[in-house]
Amino acid sequence: MNVMLNLRAVKGRAYPRVIGALREPSWAFWDTFLPILSMAAYVYVYKSLNAPKEFEGFVILGGVMTTYWLNVLWGMASQLYWEKETANLQLYLAAPMSKMSILAGMALGGMFATTVRGVSIILVGVFVFQVDFVITNFWLLIAIFGITLVALYGMGMLFASLFLIWGREAWHINMLLEEPVYFLSGYSFPVKALGLSLSVAASFIPFTLGLDAMRQLTFPSMAEWGLLSPYLELAILVIMGTFLVLLARYALHYMENLGKERGTLTMRWQ
Amino acid sequence: MSLKYSMWLEYQIEANWTSPVIFILYNTLKPVGASFLLLAMYYVVTGGFLGGDALYYLYIGNAFYMLLSQTLFSVGWIIHDDREHYQTLKYLYIAPMSYFLYLMGRSAMRFVLSILPLAVLIIIGIFLGVPYNVNVLLLAITFVLGWVFIVSAGLLLCGVNMLTARHGGSVGQAFAGIFYLLSGVIFPLAVLPGWAVKASLWLPSTYWFSLVRRSVLGGEVDSIMSGFTTTEAAEMLVVLSAVFFFISFSAYRLADYLARKKGMLDMTTTY
């Protein structure tokens, strides 16, 4: 494997996203400011119910993690489908680097704008809603956050390969993976409230466990709402992240070959 | 004719990728997921699902918000879809029809398609003990007025999209967040800061959701909105919708002019 070639491919695919974000600042309004409003509505629901202040913090943290989930869905999973529709896909496939480098470049480029949005949400939480984050173990928090992102983007890469052979179904499945997943993963409430069986099922979505662990580490007074110990959740996330990235690599290769056999890689508007 | 065929097109784009049964399921799961999210929030605070004005308030508000959210989600995507995905925007412009009417038709069909999940949510509400007291005439008027306001919001969004790049896939949903926060959809307006309450009283959606609650639940529990009679709320909705439509239409026309002038009708952004 030519490492330099693949690193250049990562940089090359990340470049238009970073440059696009700087050249067209309209994303800051659409992708940062407006989504915060919906999240703020959930905070006000808790205020109207006189809920403990920590629940407002739960929404803030959920808002940060769903930002990455949305980026995974729209910036990763559906991107190869979108590249196929805009006739870029065949150029990627003809180029001599690994396709995983293209996906890694998309992920890194997308993380720029996503992280800006995530940080904005935290700032709104701290300065507008006066949420107190009491971090009990900083390094564990960072580790869980990082591993959750690896698992999330691994899932995005896996979806990207699946979406490669689908047509418009891919688009609609993306939409279906928003609100129902918000509910199952406990975006705005502790996932433990769903009961054991549903919580375990929801744990297959990486940010369910990541979010639950981060909430335990930032709101220790609400520890009784934690699903599992943060260390155990970290271990599960490491296994999940490794498995998803490896599976994505295999699936990408398999779907590419399947697409070639079926002649669907250049088929547009299906 | 443009209206009729654009409605047909919207239906085909939204529904013909799968069987009707799967489409109905798909069309329903998203709003149901959003409602369950709110029910779970209510549950973790109160420890139950039954008996409470706050629950009925947020449940009905959220169910009808799906009309707004799903229509704007779809309308917010039309320009980018036509321009960059199907790359047909320039052909639609030179076709012997009005692109404005085309947008109206597509948003009208999306609005109609969103009524099905609303009906499902209303039925689920029966099991939650929502005390329905439906005023059919008022509800029908509310629907029509709501469509005018929602289409106006969609038109404004289309105008903006003509001049902006495609960054994400859910700008319409993000735009709908303004109304979700400021219209008293899932919590009473009094919870908001004073300046936000003042801003919300200038939004047609605030009066629309108030009329929704009056027509479905038989009354208004929001302490601020109950200061308006039903007639006053309807009058405010008509006036503000008309103003909103005028502003949206003007913005759309301006964006349309600028997009032609700057040669952006066939722009593609492959970020």
Side-chain angles (χ1 to χ4, degrees):
Chain A
M1 180 189 281
N2 187 335
V3 176
M4 288 311 293
L5 174 72
N6 283 298
L7 286 177
R8 279 206 303 275
V10 171
K11 184 187 168 193
R13 190 57 191 89
Y15 178 81
R17 290 205 163 174
V18 176
I19 290 298
L22 297 174
R23 188 181 292 161
E24 308 250 11
S26 55
W27 68 270
F29 181 74
W30 296 109
D31 282 357
T32 302
F33 176 69
L34 288 183
I36 288 176
L37 299 184
S38 296
M39 185 210 66
Y42 290 128
V43 174
Y44 280 112
V45 168
Y46 278 133
K47 280 186 188 294
S48 71
L49 295 173
N50 295 315
K53 193 76 179 167
E54 287 84 350
F55 281 121
E56 295 173 27
F58 279 19
V59 175
I60 300 293
L61 270 188
V64 173
M65 293 313 289
T66 49
T67 296
Y68 288 99
W69 177 245
L70 284 174
N71 184 243
V72 163
L73 289 181
W74 294 104
M76 290 288 296
S78 60
Q79 190 64 30
L80 287 188
Y81 160 74
W82 184 260
E83 303 286 6
K84 182 172 76 169
E85 298 286 298
T86 54
N88 276 340
L89 184 65
Q90 54 263 49
L91 302 177
Y92 292 153
L93 297 180
M97 75 290 157
S98 160
K99 311 311 169 270
M100 290 294 279
S101 307
I102 294 290
L103 289 171
M106 283 178 194
L108 286 176
M111 272 187 204
F112 168 71
T114 310
T115 301
V116 170
R117 178 167 152 188
V119 170
S120 306
I121 290 172
I122 295 281
L123 292 177
V124 166
V126 171
F127 294 108
V128 178
F129 294 116
Q130 313 282 312
V131 170
D132 285 327
F133 293 97
V134 183
I135 299 171
T136 53
N137 188 334
F138 178 78
W139 293 113
L140 182 60
L141 180 69
I142 294 294
I144 286 172
F145 178 70
I147 294 296
T148 304
L149 287 194
V150 171
L152 266 181
Y153 281 87
M155 185 174 257
M157 290 177 182
L158 178 63
F159 283 167
S161 60
L162 294 174
F163 287 12
L164 196 58
I165 57 162
W166 287 338
R168 279 180 297 138
E169 300 96 314
W171 204 251
H172 294 288
I173 285 170
N174 244 12
M175 288 199 247
L176 204 55
L177 290 172
E178 289 190 5
E179 277 81 357
V181 167
Y182 292 172
F183 166 64
L184 287 173
S185 60
Y187 154 43
S188 54
F189 62 92
V191 71
K192 195 178 180 182
L194 293 178
L196 184 65
S197 49
L198 208 50
S199 303
V200 170
S203 299
F204 285 99
I205 307 159
F207 88 82
T208 305
L209 289 179
L211 186 57
D212 185 69
M214 284 190 276
R215 280 173 174 162
Q216 291 183 60
L217 295 170
T218 47
F219 300 103
S221 57
M222 303 297 274
E224 81 267 20
W225 282 107
L227 185 63
L228 299 169
S229 132
Y231 286 102
L232 182 57
E233 288 177 329
L234 176 65
I236 295 171
L237 283 168
V238 169
I239 295 167
M240 200 184 277
T242 310
F243 176 71
L244 283 170
V245 172
L246 291 176
L247 189 63
R249 191 168 183 270
Y250 168 77
L252 192 61
H253 183 66
Y254 178 77
M255 293 302 173
E256 184 186 338
N257 283 337
L258 197 65
K260 283 176 181 170
E261 282 169 19
R262 291 181 180 176
T264 55
L265 289 179
T266 53
M267 197 179 278
R268 299 162 72 187
W269 307 321
Q270 295 297 305
Chain B
M1 289 299 276
S2 348
L3 199 68
K4 178 183 161 190
Y5 283 112
S6 58
M7 287 179 76
W8 174 86
L9 176 68
E10 175 68 17
Y11 179 75
Q12 296 301 323
I13 288 177
E14 287 293 326
N16 80 356
W17 55 277
T18 187
S19 66
V21 175
I22 300 277
F23 173 69
I24 290 170
L25 198 64
Y26 154 78
N27 200 25
T28 308
L29 274 178
K30 194 176 159 81
V32 168
S35 290
F36 280 11
L37 184 79
L38 285 166
L39 289 176
M41 289 171 69
Y42 184 84
Y43 171 76
V44 295
V45 177
T46 64
F49 285 127
L50 301 174
D53 282 345
L55 175 69
Y56 309 140
Y57 186 104
L58 69 85
Y59 186 78
I60 290 300
N62 190 67
F64 278 79
Y65 171 75
M66 289 300 138
L67 281 176
L68 171 68
S69 168
Q70 294 210 315
T71 306
L72 284 186
F73 186 99
S74 181
V75 174
W77 184 239
I78 291 174
I79 297 284
H80 289 157
D81 209 23
D82 284 345
R83 188 181 69 195
E84 304 194 23
H85 181 197
Y86 296 117
Q87 299 175 6
T88 51
L89 184 61
K90 51 186 178 284
Y91 304 114
L92 289 167
Y93 259 79
I94 60 172
M97 62 159 205
S98 156
Y99 191 69
F100 170 73
L101 279 180
Y102 164 86
L103 291 174
M104 292 289 104
R106 287 192 63 176
S107 62
M109 179 48 79
R110 184 62 255 186
F111 187 83
V112 170
L113 290 174
S114 302
I115 291 175
L116 176 69
L118 171 64
V120 172
L121 288 173
I122 296 283
I123 292 167
I124 293 173
I126 295 171
F127 298 101
L128 295 171
V130 175
Y132 291 120
N133 183 5
V134 180
N135 181 333
V136 177
L137 180 64
L138 182 59
L139 185 61
I141 294 169
T142 303
F143 258 105
V144 174
L145 293 175
W147 181 72
V148 173
F149 144 70
I150 291 169
V151 164
S152 304
L155 205 56
L156 183 63
L157 192 57
C158 286
V160 173
N161 284 346
M162 276 193 177
L163 302 173
T164 54
R166 182 195 78 99
H167 289 290
S170 52
V171 288
Q173 209 170 20
F175 185 63
I178 297 172
F179 306 108
Y180 201 45
L181 176 64
L182 294 176
S183 304
V185 180
I186 51 174
F187 56 85
L189 287 178
V191 183
L192 287 169
W195 61 267
V197 174
K198 284 177 187 164
S200 70
L201 293 176
W202 287 97
L203 288 176
S205 49
T206 306
Y207 301 93
W208 188 63
F209 282 108
S210 178
L211 286 176
V212 161
R213 286 188 290 273
R214 289 164 203 253
S215 57
V216 175
L217 298 174
E220 173 61 281
V221 292
D222 185 302
S223 59
I224 293 175
M225 293 311 293
S226 57
F228 294 85
T229 65
T230 301
T231 310
E232 284 170 344
E235 285 170 355
M236 287 300 288
L237 177 58
V238 170
V239 171
L240 288 175
S241 293
V243 173
F244 196 58
F245 182 81
F246 175 76
I247 293 170
S248 300
F249 186 71
S250 306
Y252 168 78
R253 282 292 179 212
L254 177 66
D256 175 50
Y257 168 76
L258 290 173
R260 290 170 195 245
K261 190 180 176 189
K262 294 181 176 180
M264 297 171 86
L265 288 183
D266 56 355
M267 177 173 79
T268 51
T269 48
T270 52
Y271 298 142

